[in-house]
């Protein structure tokens, strides 16, 4: 997931300013294990590893491109309609982004944690 920065109020190093933040690129590979239920509702667990790349934004002290290790674990439910042409999916993920000692002050030197809830409509084009 690429994220283009937008302008906003930022506080960096004790100074409040209104400027564009750095651009970010988040990428993850996940393994999903689903339980064989033989019903239209399928529970699953998932986990993955990837990276978060923060691109240079010199005016914020982000000198150069920095990449951080990311990971996630979670689970969810998938429901398929009777003919299997469409369905719904929802899951929860616990996320971690590992920092390092040479991270810019904008990111900080602490590992970051978060929670994400996903919801999706599944459409099977080939059945």
């Amino acid at each position: 997931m690429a994220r283009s920065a937008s302008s906003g109020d930022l506080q960096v190093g004790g100074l409040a300013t209104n400027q564009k933040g750095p651009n970010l690129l988040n990428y993850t590979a996940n393994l999903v294990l689903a339980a064989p239920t033989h019903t239209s509702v399928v529970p699953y667990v998932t986990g993955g590893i990837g990276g978060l790349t923060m691109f240079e934004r010199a005016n914020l002290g982000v000198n150069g491109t920095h990449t951080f290790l990311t990971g996630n674990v979670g689970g969810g439910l998938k429901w398929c309609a009777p003919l299997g042409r469409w369905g719904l999916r929802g899951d929860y993920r616990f996320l971690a982004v590992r920092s390092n000692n040479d991270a810019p002050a904008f990111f900080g030197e602490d590992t970051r944690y978060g929670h994400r809830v996903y919801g999706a409509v599944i459409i099977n084009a080939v059945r």
Side-chain angles (χ1 to χ4, degrees), residues 99-112:
S99 187
N100 52 46
N101 293 337
D102 63 343
F106 182 87
F107 186 84
E109 295 180 0
D110 297 327
T111 298
R112 306 292 178 112

Side-chain angles (χ1 to χ4, degrees), residues 9-36:
D9 292 330
L10 299 174
Q11 185 155 353
V12 180
L15 299 173
T17 182
N18 185 301
Q19 57 187 307
K20 185 176 179 179
N23 293 320
L24 303 172
L25 176 65
N26 186 23
Y27 40 94
T28 304
N30 288 290
L31 177 65
V32 178
L33 300 172

Side-chain angles (χ1 to χ4, degrees), residues 22-24 52-56 62 64-68 104 106-107:
N23 293 320
L24 303 172
L52 173 69
T53 300
M54 181 170 48
F55 296 97
E56 182 174 4
V62 180
T65 300
H66 299 272
T67 299
F68 305 94
F106 182 87
F107 186 84

Side-chain angles (χ1 to χ4, degrees), residues 38-80:
H38 307 293
T39 69
S40 61
V41 177
V42 179
Y44 59 90
V45 295
T46 184
I49 192 166
L52 173 69
T53 300
M54 181 170 48
F55 296 97
E56 182 174 4
R57 181 79 55 196
N59 58 334
L60 295 176
V62 180
N63 300 314
T65 300
H66 299 272
T67 299
F68 305 94
L69 179 67
T70 66
N72 70 80
V73 294
L77 290 173
K78 181 173 83 167
W79 170 83
C80 291

